[in-house]
Amino acid sequence: MTIAIIGAGLAGASAAAELRDRGHEGDIVLVGAESQAPYERPPLSKDILLGKGTAADAAVKDQGWYDEQRIELVTGARVQSVDTAARSFEVDGRTITYDQLLLATGATSRHLPMADESGVPVAYLRTLEESQALKEHLAGHLLIIGAGWIGLEVASAARQAGGTVTVVESASLPLVGPIGEDMARVFADLHREHGVDLHLDTSLTTLERDEGGVLRRDAGASKGGARALLSDGTEVRPGLVLVAIGAEPDTALAETAGLDVDRGVLVDARLRTSDPHIWAAGDIAVHDHPDLGRLRVEHWDTAIQQGRHAARSMLGDATPYTRQPYFFTDQYDLGMEYVGHLGRDGYDEIVVRGDHATRVLNAVMIAGGRVVAGMHTNDWDATDHLRAWVGREATDRLRDTTIALADTRED
Ligand SMILES: Cc1cc2nc3c(=O)[nH]c(=O)nc-3n(C[C@H](O)[C@H](O)[C@H](O)COP(=O)(O)OP(=O)(O)OC[C@H]3O[C@@H](n4cnc5c(N)ncnc54)[C@H](O)[C@@H]3O)c2cc1C
């Protein structure tokens, strides 16, 4: 049996590894559009920018591992179409026929046309090359559009590199959608304390070249900086503008293959698409989660776990994927982990334990009496307890902040 995987990112590589771990002896072909072997993206906005990690550190597996495991890795090859009737696709002029196919084509940065068309130096951050290029500009004046995870992590790296950082965010607080107001305030304070000029409830109204600017002297073709006007009246003259306004699932291939797509590739509880021989995992998959409903999750852990799960499903396992989303971030000296999912309605109760001054905190978010999510900042023992609570009815002990989180469960 030949199993093909299109998309050689974390989900694709995790699936390939799991296939061998589960004893699949047949051929495995892993095809990726990027020139590198699969790598992890979290270091692109953290260790690589901070100069603490290299491209080699970010690799999912050593180069030799693919040969040892008899996994054919084809890099630098973007698959254009899949013939679902013949169960085949073309790569580098060669036809690959599959029994099962996993699509793990991930996501790409969401673009801001106004920035792209402005003629000023604009950066995005999704790939290793983009991270390496961005690192060279951290010490200048960086204007970051979007105070999401990536925008804030880059802000942190840039401040640590001695750069001047302006962040523009249209919401009232950074990260307010995924973590809610109470904990979002922790991040707003953190960045302001570290000298980030954070403009909330604000948008970019004008972006144009500043021919007189001297900031991007090293930028070769693109000399001069930018002049940006914000909706709150502020004028900024950055050397580089980083657009960090989210990602879009890369559904191009799934669409040409005729699969059901709705802001991602629709998959059932086992990660199977509308074609019985095609599966999807990671950033691209809109999963039918048995507890959470339709959900697309753009997280490192989901790419690994769904990649592995899809591998087991392709080998015949009928178990649904039920894992709760998990996410982490590192900014300055603050580490955060988050488990669960705040639906559109958010939470109606939050129980916070810990100390705002030291930012050693944990928070449990409750909607309709049920714990929907939990997170901590620098409270590393909390994760397992938070995970155990997600999905359960909240109790009086959980709400009683005089009782330590670890002692709240009665089972
Ligand atoms: C800068 C950055 C920092 C992040 N930090 C965190 C973090 O701290 N914590 C966290 O939980 N998550 C983080 N994430 C998110 C996490 O990295 C993603 O959820 C994860 O990479 C998704 O993996 P994937 O394999 O689904 O997709 P991707 O990593 O996007 O990989 C998909 C691959 O498929 C390739 N491809 C697409 N179309 C084709 C085609 N037609 N043919 C061949 N190949 C194709 C793409 O080129 C790409 O290489 C971060 C993401 C970024 C960008």
Side-chain angles (χ1 to χ4, degrees):
M1 179 161 90
T2 297
I3 297 184
I5 302 169
I6 302 178
L10 185 56
S14 301
E18 183 75 358
L19 288 170
R20 285 290 181 246
D21 287 351
R22 294 281 162 162
H24 172 65
E25 293 288 339
D27 290 344
I28 301 174
V29 187
L30 174 58
V31 186
E34 292 183 73
S35 55
Q36 302 86 356
Y39 60 90
E40 306 213 353
R41 298 189 197 275
L44 306 186
S45 49
K46 305 177 190 67
D47 284 3
I48 289 181
L49 291 186
L50 293 164
K52 292 181 183 169
T54 62
D57 298 331
V60 177
K61 300 284 183 189
D62 296 339
Q63 200 66 46
W65 179 86
Y66 297 92
D67 293 339
E68 281 160 27
Q69 297 292 319
R70 291 187 300 105
I71 292 166
E72 186 188 353
L73 174 63
V74 184
T75 54
R78 181 169 289 276
V79 178
Q80 300 298 339
S81 63
V82 176
D83 182 339
T84 53
R87 277 191 237 149
S88 68
F89 59 88
E90 306 275 322
V91 167
D92 294 341
R94 180 180 135 209
T95 302
I96 294 178
T97 306
Y98 61 84
D99 295 286
Q100 304 285 345
L101 170 65
L102 175 64
L103 291 187
T105 51
T108 54
S109 299
R110 182 173 297 136
H111 274 246
L112 182 65
M114 173 191 180
D116 295 347
E117 290 155 15
S118 66
V120 312
V122 172
Y124 290 86
L125 180 54
R126 181 81 199 174
T127 65
L128 187 55
E129 289 90 346
E130 287 169 343
S131 173
Q132 288 163 335
L134 180 59
K135 184 173 188 302
E136 302 308 312
H137 298 281
L138 293 183
H141 184 171
L142 191 59
L143 171 62
I144 300 176
I145 314 295
W149 304 110
I150 292 177
L152 294 185
E153 287 176 0
V154 174
S156 160
R159 287 298 298 136
Q160 291 176 76
T164 303
V165 181
T166 307
V167 177
V168 182
E169 167 60 53
S170 56
S172 57
L173 283 168
L175 309 170
V176 67
I179 66 174
E181 272 187 27
D182 301 75
M183 298 308 284
R185 253 184 224 109
V186 174
F187 283 87
D189 293 346
L190 175 76
H191 281 272
R192 285 189 166 134
E193 276 172 31
H194 281 86
V196 170
D197 184 18
L198 181 60
H199 294 255
L200 300 171
D201 283 320
T202 305
S203 55
L204 177 68
T205 54
T206 305
L207 186 60
E208 57 192 20
R209 283 187 67 121
D210 175 12
E211 298 299 342
V214 288
L215 286 161
R216 249 178 77 106
R217 252 190 261 264
D218 57 336
S222 189
K223 291 208 168 66
R227 178 175 166 272
L229 290 180
L230 311 184
S231 58
D232 63 5
T234 310
E235 182 181 291
V236 199
R237 290 179 183 259
L240 181 68
V241 179
L242 174 75
V243 177
I245 56 170
E248 303 278 5
D250 192 341
T251 54
L253 188 60
E255 281 168 44
T256 60
L259 303 180
D260 288 351
V261 170
D262 181 9
R263 284 161 289 172
V265 178
L266 299 186
V267 292
D268 68 10
R270 294 172 61 216
L271 303 168
R272 194 200 294 257
T273 69
S274 51
D275 180 308
H277 298 278
I278 307 182
W279 308 74
D283 279 12
I284 191 191
V286 181
H287 173 230
D288 193 5
H289 193 291
D291 306 319
L292 304 172
R294 282 257 168 236
L295 188 64
R296 189 175 71 80
V297 178
E298 291 175 1
H299 295 340
W300 170 89
D301 179 69
T302 306
I304 297 173
Q305 301 298 339
Q306 286 193 349
R308 289 180 184 159
H309 198 96
R312 297 193 292 274
S313 294
M314 289 192 286
L315 297 178
D317 189 336
T319 314
Y321 180 83
T322 56
R323 193 173 164 87
Q324 289 280 343
Y326 161 88
F327 178 81
F328 65 93
T329 184
D330 296 311
Q331 298 172 29
Y332 312 100
D333 55 357
L334 183 123
M336 185 221 71
E337 290 178 291
Y338 177 99
V339 61
H341 176 65
L342 274 193
R344 270 208 197 101
D345 300 334
Y347 54 81
D348 42 51
E349 246 185 287
I350 183 165
V351 183
V352 182
R353 289 177 167 78
D355 178 8
H356 276 273
T358 58
R359 295 199 181 94
V360 179
L361 294 163
N362 66 64
V364 176
M365 298 161 201
I366 302 164
R370 204 170 57 87
V371 177
V372 288
M375 64 173 278
H376 78 81
T377 52
N378 287 351
D379 185 6
W380 297 100
D381 295 332
T383 313
D384 290 345
H385 302 295
L386 294 169
R387 192 183 284 285
W389 268 113
V390 172
R392 293 178 175 228
E393 288 297 313
T395 61
D396 291 344
R397 281 183 77 78
L398 180 65
R399 292 181 172 100
D400 182 348
T401 54
T402 63
I403 301 172
L405 180 68
D407 300 326
T408 49
R409 275 177 45 233
E410 286 157 290
D411 49 11

